[in-house]
Structures are given as structure tokens and as C-alpha cells.
Amino acid sequence: MNSQAPDTIHTELTIIGSGMTGMAAALFAVNRGISTTLIGQHSAMNFASGVMDLMGVHPAGQEWDDPWKALDRVRKDLPNHPLVKVDNLDIENAMEELLGFLKDQALPYHRAARKNINVITSVGTIKKTYAVPETMWNGVVALEKKSPTLIVDLDGMKLFSARQIASSLADRWPDLGHETIVFPGSEALEELHPEHVARALDLSANRVKLANRIKPFVKDAAYVGFPALLGMYSSREAVTELEQLLERPIFEIPTPPVSVPGIRLQETFISGLGKNKLFRTLSTMVTHVKTDSGFTITTGGNTPETIRSKAVLLATGRFLGKGLTASRQGIQETLMDLPVEQPETREEWHRNDLFSPQGHPVNRAGIKTDDHFTPLVPAPEKPVKNLHVAGAILAGSDWMRMKCGSGVAIATAFAAIKAIEKANK
Amino acid sequence: MLKTENPCQKTKKHVLKKPEASVIILSTLIFFMEATVETDVLIIGGGATGTGIARDLALRGITSLLVEKGDINAGASGGNHGLLHSGARYVANDGESARECMEEGKILRQTAPHCIDDCGGMFAAVQGDDENYVGEFQGFCARSGISATPISIETAMEAEPLLSKKLIAAFGVRDGAIDPFMLSLENIAHAKALGSKLLCHTEVVAFEKDNHCITRVWLENIHTHQRFSVDPRQVINAAGAWSGKVDALAGAATEIIYSMGTLLVTQSRMTEGVINRLRPPSNADILVPGGTVSILGTTSIRVNDPDRIRPTVAETDLIVSQGAQMIPTLETTRYIRAYSGVRPLVSQGKGDDRSVSRSFVLLDHQETGLDNFATITGGKLTTFRLMAEKTADLVAARLGNTTPCKTRTEPLPSTQEGKWTEPGIAPRVWMQKPAGKKDRILCECEMIAESTVDALADALEKNGQAPDLLNIGKRSRLGKGPCQGAFCSTRVLAHMYNNGRLSGPDGANELKAFLSERWKGQKPIFWGDQLVQAELTEAMHCGLFDLELTTPDPDKPEPKKVSDSLAKTTRQSERRN
């Protein structure tokens, strides 16, 4: 048996999936002394905008200023929503622990006390969310006060137009100006990629050159807003230095994928967790999970690895994360063929209107669990011991409509790790 | 029959009523006052037939005004296979249609080669198909004068390797693929160059009649609801699936059967030529190449209202499973969208919809007592030119014009109007740009660059239509690739704001309108990779941008859509401020 081979990795917990759920779970696990192996490739966090939602909308189309009040309503109406299985104290503790870690790793987040905050997006809409990277915070303040603000974009960025933002928001934020700047050194380039600019702005010299090009346009603007690309590994320093050079507060605006703040989160988790001896990560895909007394996990790639683990946390995400897959006949869980709660027929998966505030039933499909996030299996099958499921793959939450993506990821990871910790004792 | 004292013969011009001046009315007025051309004929319906009639008449020296309630090819002319039939499909039970198809195919290959991919075709039978039909097929073809050459199984498999291993018979035929959008856009462009006019988003709402004649036709802009009237000498109803409704307005009862057909678009081109299932016409038995993709269909479902059609999951499943019997890869390939069209069939009382003749019907309405009204309906894309010819013959004779039809021989000029609907043209043009010139690709799936978007927007503005995402999408392959429009829509919008074509808060609504339109055709094919893409689209546009929470201001009368006709001047200043 492979499991007896000398290079088999032994670990208490294997987390499958390297998105927000997997990363958060790894943090909570190692903080509780659980040796953890995280396996995942192509983290969905590369698609994340960097802002963190907790709970924003429920029922259809109703926005809430207070995420906790929104949650109270969800607890009343949707007993199967994953967040309902976690009490408020645990949700708060989970957020506190995760944001504390990010702060320690020089990626601080800001939020308002018991209140959702408003951020502007790259298409000029205003979005409610729970927490934003510190580099976006001044934008929340500027929007709140409707301060005179200059939005800057960079020539060659195809998904971000400062003019679009200023023009779209003109009714609500009249003192919004816009300017397109040619990024220093990019004159000959046809296109500009946010990741490249972000890496360039890790260097002070490029910040100085950029600031010099912006200065003539700043005039009486109290704030300057940028697309979210001000530094990759040193975003705090980049923002601080640009603020000094421009002599006023600045902020980042979230952008569609590939998004720099998402990459920052991903990299920060990996490097921060890497400092803990209990943590190991394999950048590959799991191909097979065998359950006996514990789990034997096999990975793909050129050098397949075998992992023996006491517990497994499935945090493989939905369709984009490859945790779920859909054929014409139905939706399957990809790794262990767990039962998926789903609409009866494919006709019911999506509504006719893409933008229906009710959302699409397919987005509530997923794995059904008990209150400890152990998957429910129909009798006579016996539930697999020490298997937990967390995050977007869970049934009952439409994160895109309810604005609860990060909340579900972090809170259910926390609750699942607490259950694993309890079982270990 | 012509009557010398026919009141329909009086000279006509457009008359504008209700001068309670709004900007739109004024600009419409400016248009009509500027129109020095006398419009003899009003054509209703901007599909292949209507645009074909406009060109045919113009070549005889008769100018017309074509009104279309949606956009060019919004009906069945845009919702079909894009198949230039050899005619072989109809040989068993509709010899007349078969022969018409064969003859028209020859003419179109001569006169409109730029709209045609002369890829050839094949009829293929697989195990389980009716062997009697297979045996009789060649004889049927011969009867209609259509060439069908037997091909050995080996040769057929070599030519089209994706054919089922269960192939039992194959015949080569002269099928082709035709780009219906380019065809109609070129036809109307030529008619316009010869002095005719086009008004899209303009619906017929009432006819005024006097003494066997339609004397006045009331039209309404579907966005602004402004009404105006035209006094035409002749009126042609080429409204396709809507022709029954138009006839009813005019007091003529024509019973139209609405037969909906659904088609699926594959992500890549599956075959070199057209593949037809060698069996009596049934579901999903034709696969037609469309440039870089293939189109599989169709179904035939009776519907009650041509305005409320959508491809369904059940049809999609039927098409995939039926198509896969012929080309097994169709079961596993990635589909990028589905769409439906409604065939207008003229009721003849019995039989199922497939057995209703696919030949066309030209009604001169003499029986109903209307001397200057004609309805052309039924038919198919391949025979659109013949339909236009026959209609133009009737109307020209009524007008006393004896110039013969020229569309049999006169080449269809190639203009810029239809150019961007061709798969692969945008990247070719982009590759030819001078070195050092910046021209960013906005749609990475279909390689559509800024300059293409600008050219399309210019052309739209020139035609008095809004250069918005939806209209640009209809005239190009924008959003038709695997990304489903999630990224290109956002990039084009940013570009439109950057170059000043768009300003104000309507960008979010343009995004929603464009993505909603694409969604209609994608919903039935959301499985596998397409569902993954749908999730990403929704994560971006709802999860991040919160577009489902933005509501258009109900008090605002859709300012951008004022578009039509010559509200152009106002809209340009509005957009360029």
C-alpha cells in the first residue's frame, strides 16, 4: 500500500482547497495546535476583489446597513443557510482572529463597528460590504463625505475607466474628477496588466515617477482614487509613500479579476501560515480520497503524493473552484461523490432573468451538513467519520445575491475546525 | 390589376402629424423634410425578405421606406442555421421547394459570394435510420434535378472524421453556409445607396383605408412611443412571423402558423461541410459550419406568440442527444449558446408543421379588396431573393414600372455594413494594423479591437441608432465567444466612456441589457464549462458590481434608445457632452 511508503505525509488534518475557506481553516487549525496540510492549486482567491462581505442582502433585493440585523433575519427565514449554523459570537471571533492575522502579516483590513460600509466599484456602482483592505478605506470615507476626489486610471488598462466611474456617479458624487495617466515606462506598451503595475509599484522609484505625473491634475482634490494595483507585496508602503508625495490621502478601488488585492490575500496567507511548523501546503490537485480508519489522500501531478490524515476538511468551492461539476443530468460533488442537494431538473437551475434579485436556484445547491458541518448522507449509508465540509460548496447560501461570501467561508471554516478540535480531545 | 383611376396612384410623401414638439418629433421631422426622395413603397419587416425587396425595387428605380419594429434580422432571418440549402432536404415531399433552393443557391453563389462559405455538404444515415428512405433518396433528388453523389463510408469518414462509426450511407450535395446578417445588412446598404430609407425600432400601429386602398400607415417608435404617418402608394408586408398580425391590422385575414425552431452553437467548428441526417426531416438533423463555430438544429414546436419564444432546456437536451447519433462528439462538446427563430408557415389546414410547404406565399389581397397591399411570407433563407423578386414584380407592375428584376445577375456590393458579423474578420483586420499603432483588443475571445468597436459605433450613429453595447453586439461577434460577454462587455463600456461616446449613469444599464440578452441564449446550455463561466459572470457582475441591485430610474424614458431615425443629432450632443 502507498500509505505505508516511507514518503507518506502524516498529518492530523488535510484541508482540500486553497480559497478563502481553506486558508481561513488552515489558520484556525494551526492556531489550535492541529498539524495541517493544505492542498490546492489555482486558488479562487485570484478571482476575489479583496473586499469581505458578511451579510448584506435578504430577502431578495433588501439591503442592510447592519450585517448582524441582516443575519437575525436570515436565521428566522432560512434555517438551512450555513451561517445560521454558527452563532454570532463564533462569527465575530472568527472574523477577529482572521483579520488579526492579516494585520500581523502587514495586510490590515478596516471595518465599521457593527455596520456595513459602502465602496465604489470599477464600473461606478456602490457596493455594501463588511471589511475592506486598509488601502481602500479612504475611499469609504471620501464617498461618505462626498469629498472632492480625483479618480485616476492608467492608459492601457482595459477594465477600468476613471471617466466611467466619475460619470456614472456624477449624480451622487458631483465632486468626482477623472484623469488618465500613462504609467511611467509603459509608453510603448499596448496594454497594461494590473499585476505588472502592482509589482512595479513595490519599488519606490516608480511611485515617485507616477506621483510626478499625477501631481499637475490633483489641484483641489482632497483624495485621489486608483485602481487596486498599488503594490503587490508592499501595498502599505506604496500607499503611504504615494500619500506623502501627493500630499493627501489616497485609496484603491476594487476591480474585476484578475484582481491584485485577491493575489495579495493569497500570498499573505501562504507566507504567514508558512511560518508555523504545523503547516504544510502542496500546490497540486487531490485526485482521490480513500476512507478507512482515517483518510488516504492521493494527489495528481508529476510527483503524486500520499497523505495519511485523521480528519479532512473539504473546502473545494463551487463550479469555478471545481468542487462541484454539472452535466446535463445533474450536479455532482467531484472528489468523494457526496450527495448534492439540488433542484429537481435542469430547467429550474437558472431563472430567465440573469439579474433577478431572487437569484438562481442553482446557486443554493450544494452539500447539506449537520450543525458541525459533517455532510449528511441518506440512510442506510453511514456518515464518514472526521469529514467536514465548509465554504461555498455548502448548500443553502447564494453568496452572490446575499453578499455573504467571505462570511460563509470564514465562519463555517471556524465552526468546522472547532468541531475537529473537540473530536481530537 | 391596375386601374387607371386608382386613387393609390396619387403622388405621396411622408406626412407628419401631431406637432406637439418634442426633440424627437423635431428630429424626425427634420429627417422627413430632408428626405427629398419620393417613397413609393412602404416595406414592413427588416429580415432577409424585406431587405431583399428593398434592394430589388431600388435596382428597378423604385425607392422605398423599410420599417422594422426591432432590428435587422431580429426574427427568423437571424434565428436560423445560416444554411444555403442544396434542396435535397425537401426532395421527398416538397419538390417545388427543393428545385427553388437549388436554383437560388446557384444564383447566390454568383451574386453574393462574400456572404457564402461554399463548404459543400453531405447527407449521412446511421444504423437504425430508415433504409427505404436511404434507397429512394437519390431518385428523389434526380426527380428535382438535384445532384447527390454517393460517397463510400471510408471517403465520408475521411472527409468528416467526427461522423458516427455507425454510418451506413452518405451522399455529397451542394450545400453551403450563408451569413444571414451580412446578407441582410448588405442588401439594405445597397438599397440605401440607391436612395431607399430604413427605420428600425419602428412598428406599424394602424392603417387608414379609402376605396380599396391603404392611404396612410401610422408608425410608432417602440422606444419613444412617438407616432407619425406615411402615405405610401404601395405597402408590402414582409413581417415574417408577424405578417399575420400586420395583415390583421390591415383588415386582411391570413392565418400564420408559428413554428419555433431552436439551434445550438458549438464552441468550435466541428465539420468541414454541412452534415444532414439522411432521413425524413426531423429534429436536430442538420449541422452547419458558421465560420469558426458550428450550428446544430433544429426543432419544430408550435407556439402561439412569436414575441414570446425562448430556447428551453428540454429542446436543448433533445437536440444534443439527436445530433450525437450523427456526430457522437456533439454529446461532449462545449456549446456557447442557443437561440430560437419562428418559421412563419401559411396554414393549409392539415398535416404537422414539418409537412406544411416550406415554399413561400405571395398574397396580392385583391380578394380582400386592397389594391395596393401585398404580403409575402413563408419560404426560407435560401429562397429570399426569389421571394423578393416575385413581390417586386407585383408591386412594380402596380406602379407601372416595367424594369425587369436585376438581382439574378447584379452582384451584391460588399460594403462595411455587414463586415463585422463574419467570424475571423476582426482578428484579420487587427493583424494588418501598422506596427506601432495602438489598437487594443477588447473582446479577447473573438479578437475585436477598439478600432472595430469605433467603426461599428460610427456606422450605428450614421444610421441614427444608438451605439450601445446591445447594438454593437448585434453587428459583431462581441460576447459570442466562451467568456459569454462577461469581460468584453465591461471593456467595451470602459472604452465608450473613455472616448466620450457615453456619459452619465446609464453604463450599468447597458451592461445589464447586453448580458441579459446573451443570458437568454445561454441558460439552456449551462452545464460543464459553460456553467463555470456563468458562475464567474455572475460573481463579477452581481457578486462584485451589485448590478442586480441597481434599478433603472422608472421616470426616465430610456434616453439612449431615443436613437432611431434622425434623433441622431440630439443623441450625439447628449453623448458627447
Side-chain angles (χ1 to χ4, degrees):
Chain A
M1 285 293 288
N2 272 350
S3 60
Q4 298 313 311
D7 54 350
T8 295
I9 296 164
H10 291 268
T11 186
E12 282 177 282
L13 169 66
T14 299
I15 298 170
I16 306 174
S18 55
M20 178 64 97
T21 309
M23 296 288 185
L27 171 71
F28 300 139
V30 297
N31 281 355
R32 280 154 191 76
I34 302 168
S35 73
T36 300
T37 302
L38 178 95
I39 311 173
Q41 207 176 14
H42 312 302
S43 168
M45 254 199 271
N46 292 329
F47 290 93
S49 65
V51 307
M52 292 187 195
D53 295 345
L54 175 53
M55 182 60 76
V57 177
H58 174 75
Q62 187 182 331
E63 290 189 85
W64 293 81
D65 285 327
D66 181 340
W68 304 100
K69 282 196 179 138
L71 246 166
D72 288 344
R73 180 71 193 269
V74 173
R75 284 182 200 281
K76 227 166 67 189
D77 297 348
L78 304 174
N80 290 324
H81 194 285
L83 272 182
V84 170
K85 300 188 170 97
V86 190
D87 63 42
N88 279 2
L89 189 63
D90 274 356
I91 296 174
E92 274 190 83
N93 286 340
M95 285 293 176
E96 201 62 44
E97 189 170 335
L98 183 121
L99 296 182
F101 163 81
L102 290 175
K103 190 176 174 198
D104 294 344
Q105 302 303 318
L107 189 65
Y109 269 65
H110 279 218
R111 51 189 165 154
R114 303 196 66 82
K115 204 169 157 289
N116 276 327
I117 50 181
N118 291 312
V119 284
I120 59 173
T121 75
S122 60
V123 292
T125 51
I126 295 173
K127 177 191 163 55
K128 278 196 200 313
T129 189
Y130 176 70
V132 295
E134 186 182 75
T135 52
M136 292 183 189
W137 183 253
N138 285 329
V140 175
V141 179
L143 169 64
E144 173 93 34
K145 296 191 297 192
K146 308 286 188 294
S147 306
T149 297
L150 174 72
I151 310 280
V152 163
D153 67 23
L154 302 174
D155 188 38
M157 266 192 80
K158 297 191 294 188
L159 275 171
F160 190 101
S161 157
R163 185 171 181 157
Q164 177 179 3
I165 296 170
S167 187
S168 297
L169 288 170
D171 296 350
R172 283 170 287 176
W173 193 350
D175 277 340
L176 211 48
H178 61 86
E179 195 58 53
T180 298
I181 303 291
V182 176
F183 189 73
S186 78
E187 287 78 0
L189 295 179
E190 184 150 64
E191 288 181 22
L192 210 54
H193 297 285
E195 310 99 286
H196 300 164
V197 177
R199 293 204 164 85
L201 288 174
D202 280 340
L203 303 173
S204 170
N206 291 325
R207 297 170 197 158
V208 174
K209 284 186 215 158
L210 177 63
N212 285 337
R213 293 202 174 176
I214 296 172
K215 267 182 198 161
F217 304 105
V218 169
K219 296 178 191 146
D220 52 2
Y223 293 85
V224 182
F226 293 82
L229 44 60
L230 304 179
M232 182 64 84
Y233 298 100
S234 322
S235 55
R236 263 188 120 176
E237 290 85 338
V239 168
T240 308
E241 187 172 356
L242 282 167
E243 286 185 332
Q244 283 160 3
L245 293 163
L246 295 171
E247 297 170 329
R248 65 208 71 213
I250 68 167
F251 60 89
E252 292 187 313
I253 297 165
T255 65
V258 171
S259 149
V260 169
I263 303 172
R264 282 180 200 148
L265 263 177
Q266 152 88 356
E267 307 256 355
T268 301
F269 268 111
I270 290 295
S271 71
L273 288 167
K275 294 168 195 162
N276 194 314
K277 286 196 174 58
L278 292 170
F279 179 76
R280 176 203 305 266
T281 178
L282 302 173
S283 180
T284 178
M285 299 270 284
V286 172
T287 55
H288 190 71
V289 180
K290 194 171 148 251
T291 54
D292 34 51
S293 56
F295 300 85
T296 306
I297 298 127
T298 319
T299 71
N302 291 335
T303 50
E305 306 255 13
T306 304
I307 300 103
R308 284 285 304 158
S309 186
K310 267 165 70 180
V312 160
L313 177 70
L314 206 61
T316 43
R318 302 186 66 76
F319 301 99
L320 192 59
K322 296 192 173 68
L324 298 175
T325 182
S327 69
R328 285 202 289 130
Q329 287 74 34
I331 302 168
Q332 290 93 41
E333 188 279 313
T334 47
L335 212 47
M336 304 178 73
D337 201 21
L338 295 172
V340 177
E341 188 178 59
Q342 55 187 292
E344 289 229 331
T345 65
R346 189 154 61 82
E347 189 75 66
E348 299 161 63
W349 287 5
H350 297 93
R351 293 180 192 275
N352 285 340
D353 176 12
L354 162 58
F355 293 105
S356 158
Q358 278 81 21
H360 304 291
V362 72
N363 294 327
R364 292 173 197 266
I367 310 295
K368 224 172 149 178
T369 70
D370 65 11
D371 288 351
H372 307 291
F373 296 99
T374 300
L376 295 178
V377 290
E381 273 182 71
K382 272 197 217 134
V384 180
K385 256 187 93 181
N386 294 326
L387 173 66
H388 293 80
V389 182
I393 193 174
L394 293 168
S397 109
D398 182 344
W399 68 269
M400 298 185 271
R401 300 304 156 121
M402 300 180 77
K403 319 296 167 188
C404 61
S406 295
V408 167
I410 296 162
T412 61
F414 188 83
I417 295 301
K418 259 181 72 172
I420 290 166
E421 185 191 20
K422 211 171 146 195
N424 271 357
K425 275 176 187 164
Chain B
M1 289 293 101
L2 285 172
K3 297 177 199 147
T4 41
E5 77 287 26
N6 192 337
C8 312
Q9 298 297 319
K10 62 186 175 178
T11 315
K12 286 302 157 210
K13 56 184 178 294
H14 304 289
V15 176
L16 180 77
K17 269 234 191 145
K18 295 192 188 172
E20 60 260 40
S22 80
V23 185
I24 300 111
I25 283 212
L26 274 177
S27 48
T28 314
L29 180 63
I30 290 164
F31 162 60
F32 286 117
M33 287 174 67
E34 278 176 354
T36 51
V37 190
E38 186 186 34
T39 295
D40 293 314
V41 181
L42 175 70
I43 303 167
I44 303 161
T49 314
T51 55
I53 293 169
R55 173 172 182 254
D56 189 313
L57 288 173
L59 284 168
R60 302 178 199 230
I62 303 169
T63 56
S64 60
L65 170 67
L66 191 157
V67 293
E68 159 58 50
K69 76 165 179 166
D71 202 345
I72 293 296
N73 278 15
S77 298
N80 61 67
H81 262 115
L83 169 59
L84 190 65
H85 273 286
S86 62
R89 181 170 170 84
Y90 302 109
V91 288
N93 52 19
D94 195 353
E96 192 189 342
S97 287
R99 190 176 287 276
E100 280 169 7
C101 284
M102 182 210 31
E103 285 167 1
E104 287 301 303
K106 276 188 199 158
I107 293 172
L108 293 176
R109 282 182 174 88
Q110 291 296 319
T111 55
H114 60 298
C115 298
I116 293 169
D117 172 3
D118 202 0
C119 56
M122 194 188 285
F123 273 75
V126 294
Q127 279 166 31
D129 285 342
D130 179 357
E131 297 196 16
N132 289 331
Y133 189 82
V134 173
E136 288 165 349
F137 180 70
Q138 226 185 339
F140 286 147
C141 286
R143 199 173 63 187
S144 295
I146 290 165
S147 132
T149 322
I151 311 175
S152 74
I153 304 296
E154 295 69 37
T155 314
M157 296 297 294
E158 210 167 275
E160 300 289 5
L162 295 184
L163 276 170
S164 167
K165 302 275 183 290
K166 295 178 177 166
L167 188 70
I168 55 168
F171 295 88
V173 295
R174 192 85 199 273
D175 282 333
I178 184 161
D179 181 339
F181 288 96
M182 189 187 286
L183 190 68
S184 293
L185 291 170
E186 298 287 31
N187 269 317
I188 196 64
H190 194 196
K192 279 162 66 186
L194 296 170
S196 292
K197 296 280 176 197
L198 164 71
L199 284 179
C200 286
H201 311 295
T202 304
E203 188 172 18
V204 174
V205 288
F207 291 94
E208 285 181 21
K209 292 184 288 186
D210 180 29
N211 199 15
H212 300 289
C213 272
I214 291 171
T215 50
R216 179 162 292 174
V217 182
W218 284 93
L219 303 168
E220 181 175 308
N221 180 302
I222 60 161
H223 296 304
T224 63
H225 302 295
Q226 296 295 334
R227 288 194 174 191
F228 55 98
S229 65
V230 178
D231 295 0
R233 296 171 70 187
Q234 291 287 326
V235 179
I236 299 170
N237 174 4
W242 291 268
S243 55
K245 290 186 176 184
V246 172
D247 274 5
L249 270 183
T254 310
E255 200 187 322
I256 301 289
I257 297 171
Y258 305 123
S259 164
M260 177 174 90
T262 290
L263 304 107
L264 303 183
V265 186
T266 61
Q267 190 185 343
S268 56
R269 182 170 177 152
M270 316 281 294
T271 58
E272 270 304 302
V274 176
I275 308 289
N276 305 266
R277 185 81 171 269
L278 179 47
R279 66 178 180 189
S282 180
N283 289 315
D285 43 15
I286 308 180
L287 181 72
V288 181
T292 55
V293 303
S294 285
I295 297 162
L296 175 65
T298 177
T299 49
S300 178
I301 294 174
R302 186 85 73 99
V303 292
N304 295 323
D305 184 354
D307 285 306
R308 305 178 68 89
I309 57 159
R310 253 175 196 281
T312 65
V313 167
E315 281 179 285
T316 305
D317 282 346
L318 176 71
I319 292 170
V320 171
S321 57
Q322 285 286 308
Q325 293 173 5
M326 191 166 69
I327 312 261
T329 334
L330 289 170
E331 182 65 57
T332 49
T333 196
R334 183 171 177 178
Y335 292 89
I336 54 177
R337 87 199 136 91
Y339 59 94
S340 301
V342 174
R343 308 173 186 93
L345 306 176
V346 179
S347 171
Q348 280 147 1
K350 52 177 191 274
D352 80 351
D353 293 353
R354 271 207 173 81
S355 67
V356 173
S357 170
R358 296 295 160 91
S359 188
F360 58 85
V361 176
L362 174 62
L363 304 167
D364 63 9
H365 295 293
Q366 301 283 329
E367 279 175 32
T368 350
L370 283 172
D371 294 341
N372 66 340
F373 189 44
T375 298
I376 176 78
T377 192
K380 58 189 88 54
L381 181 63
T382 304
T383 57
F384 87 94
R385 193 212 59 82
L386 183 63
M387 295 164 72
E389 177 183 334
K390 296 292 180 200
T391 313
D393 281 350
L394 172 73
V395 169
R398 284 173 169 183
L399 290 170
N401 179 308
T402 53
T403 315
C405 173
K406 292 181 178 163
T407 58
R408 278 178 183 271
T409 49
E410 179 90 19
L412 179 64
S414 174
T415 65
Q416 295 291 306
E417 302 255 333
K419 177 167 129 180
W420 302 112
T421 63
E422 185 189 338
I425 179 101
R428 282 209 298 282
V429 172
W430 183 76
M431 292 297 284
Q432 287 157 9
K433 74 183 169 126
K437 183 178 175 274
K438 286 190 186 178
D439 187 12
R440 297 172 189 110
I441 296 284
L442 297 179
C443 168
E444 293 176 353
C445 303
E446 298 286 335
M447 297 272 287
I448 298 172
E450 288 172 333
S451 60
T452 307
V453 168
D454 292 341
L456 283 161
D458 285 343
L460 280 164
E461 285 190 341
K462 223 172 74 188
N463 284 337
Q465 288 186 283
D468 59 21
L469 275 177
L470 208 52
N471 280 333
I472 289 174
K474 282 185 181 148
R475 280 161 181 75
S476 66
R477 302 196 53 82
L478 188 75
K480 300 194 172 91
C483 99
Q484 300 172 358
F487 288 89
C488 57
S489 59
T490 315
R491 291 191 199 107
V492 169
L493 201 65
H495 175 70
M496 302 292 262
Y497 271 103
N498 281 344
N499 68 15
R501 257 188 233 273
L502 184 58
S503 64
D506 286 320
N509 292 335
E510 279 202 24
L511 264 185
K512 286 174 81 168
F514 178 80
L515 291 171
S516 297
E517 180 63 28
R518 303 254 43 91
W519 178 266
K520 248 198 247 171
Q522 291 158 350
K523 179 183 175 271
I525 51 117
F526 282 151
W527 69 86
D529 289 342
Q530 285 301 100
L531 185 60
V532 175
Q533 188 59 47
E535 191 175 63
L536 178 58
T537 302
E538 213 190 327
M540 183 165 149
H541 291 273
C542 298
L544 175 59
F545 298 153
D546 276 11
L547 286 182
E548 83 280 17
L549 297 172
T550 66
T551 40
D553 187 346
D555 299 331
K556 245 173 149 183
E558 295 191 73
K560 287 184 289 67
K561 305 274 157 106
V562 173
S563 69
D564 277 329
S565 63
L566 312 137
K568 180 176 121 192
T569 357
T570 31
R571 79 174 296 88
Q572 275 184 350
S573 54
E574 188 182 286
R575 287 186 150 235
R576 290 185 190 285
N577 58 0

